[in-house]
Amino acid sequence: MSREIAAKVEQSFANQAMMTTFGARLTRLAHGMVEIEAPILEQCTQQHGFGHAALTFGLGDSAAGYAALSVMPPEAEVLTSEMKIHLLSPAHGDLLRATGKVVKPGRRLVIVQAEVHAISGDLTTQIALMTGTMVPVFPK
């Protein structure tokens, strides 16, 4: 991946207020793959004390979206068209790690996948599997 694309992804991530609210960090960036980590903050929990599904979804969607952006030309952006989530286990632990990857790039559609894991000490548990479609947006 070019330095220009990496810088674009990093700047876009830094501009996301939701990721800032979650305390999220961009921890890995490669061509077609992005990893994001965030602590499970008290304000992001649900009534049973687990990380809220919105936290899980937000991290997975962003990881998949940035993975898609990493394979686009410099002038393109991407938007989520659809995203399906399978919640496999409660978000219990110290932090969540979302890994997004491109399954099939395209000029009109980019098929993506994300896995979200909860990490508690040495224990890592997959809590979600997501698949979706990103739509490249080009300037007019």
Side-chain angles (χ1 to χ4, degrees):
M1 166 187 350
S2 74
R3 183 66 204 139
E4 178 184 15
I5 297 296
K8 179 180 180 174
V9 170
E10 290 166 353
Q11 184 60 56
S12 179
F13 183 83
N15 291 339
Q16 263 206 52
M18 181 66 79
M19 292 296 109
T20 301
T21 298
F22 289 160
R25 303 179 299 121
L26 189 62
T27 54
R28 284 183 63 201
L29 173 56
H31 184 79
M33 193 283 296
V34 167
E35 184 178 272
I36 298 172
E37 291 183 355
I40 300 175
L41 302 173
E42 186 177 340
Q43 64 265 31
C44 294
T45 59
Q46 44 87 296
Q47 70 277 15
H48 301 293
F50 300 121
H52 198 284
L55 172 63
T56 302
F57 185 87
L59 294 173
D61 178 55
S62 289
Y66 284 121
L69 187 60
S70 77
V71 302
M72 291 288 105
E75 70 275 12
E77 295 290 338
V78 297
L79 294 172
T80 303
S81 171
E82 61 88 25
M83 186 66 72
K84 180 175 178 71
I85 186 169
H86 296 278
L87 296 168
L88 308 172
S89 185
H92 177 70
D94 303 314
L95 65 97
L96 299 183
R97 178 181 298 135
T99 304
K101 67 178 185 176
V102 172
V103 175
K104 183 175 186 312
R107 183 164 168 79
R108 292 196 174 132
L109 300 174
V110 181
I111 307 306
V112 294
Q113 182 176 16
E115 292 184 3
V116 183
H117 291 83
I119 300 167
S120 183
D122 292 335
L123 180 65
T124 300
T125 305
Q126 186 175 357
I127 63 163
L129 175 63
M130 302 168 65
T131 56
T133 307
M134 300 290 161
V135 177
V137 178
F138 293 90
K140 298 196 183 225

